[in-house]
Amino acid sequence: VEYTLEFTRKRVVFLENIGFKIEELKDKPVTMLPKLFYGAFICHHSKISEELTTEIFEQITNKDEFIGVLAEMYSEPIIALMSDPKENVGKVKWEVI
């Protein structure tokens, strides 16, 4: 079976709501890695169970590199959220008074 893994802003919010915290990945890998992996699935495979994604994760080789790629994918929607708009139209300016 071929799966497409992706993170969107909506899926990052979903993961945050189920307790995923990227900063806890190193300290709580047994808890956080399956959540991160599951979150990458649900964007395109919303009916997949967390249990099945855990089984699939256990079969993946070269996990260190794979986890790095997943973490990078997870951060992309966050970086997009925090970046400045590319066009001048619609920019909101702010100042401290």
Side-chain angles (χ1 to χ4, degrees):
V1 177
E2 188 172 303
Y3 296 101
T4 301
L5 306 182
E6 181 181 10
F7 289 100
T8 61
R9 193 179 305 176
K10 182 178 179 180
R11 296 308 173 202
V12 169
V13 169
F14 170 81
L15 279 177
E16 290 172 350
N17 288 336
I18 65 168
F20 178 77
K21 296 178 182 178
I22 192 85
E23 62 274 3
E24 292 181 353
L25 202 52
K26 285 184 181 179
D27 296 333
K28 297 180 180 179
V30 174
T31 302
M32 295 301 152
L33 285 175
K35 286 186 187 308
L36 179 64
F37 190 58
Y38 175 61
F41 268 86
I42 59 172
C43 188
H44 293 280
H45 312 282
S46 61
K47 301 210 185 291
I48 197 163
S49 70
E50 194 168 355
E51 293 78 21
L52 178 56
T53 62
T54 298
E55 290 175 23
I56 294 168
F57 182 75
E58 291 172 357
Q59 301 301 313
I60 289 178
T61 58
N62 197 7
K63 282 187 178 78
D64 286 342
E65 185 177 346
F66 180 73
I67 292 163
V69 170
L70 275 182
E72 189 175 307
M73 289 171 54
Y74 176 84
S75 68
E76 287 173 0
I78 298 166
I79 292 168
L81 174 67
M82 299 304 295
S83 64
D84 288 336
K86 294 183 192 266
E87 298 178 16
N88 288 331
V89 177
K91 283 189 178 180
V92 175
K93 297 182 181 180
W94 64 274
E95 63 181 276
V96 177
I97 299 177

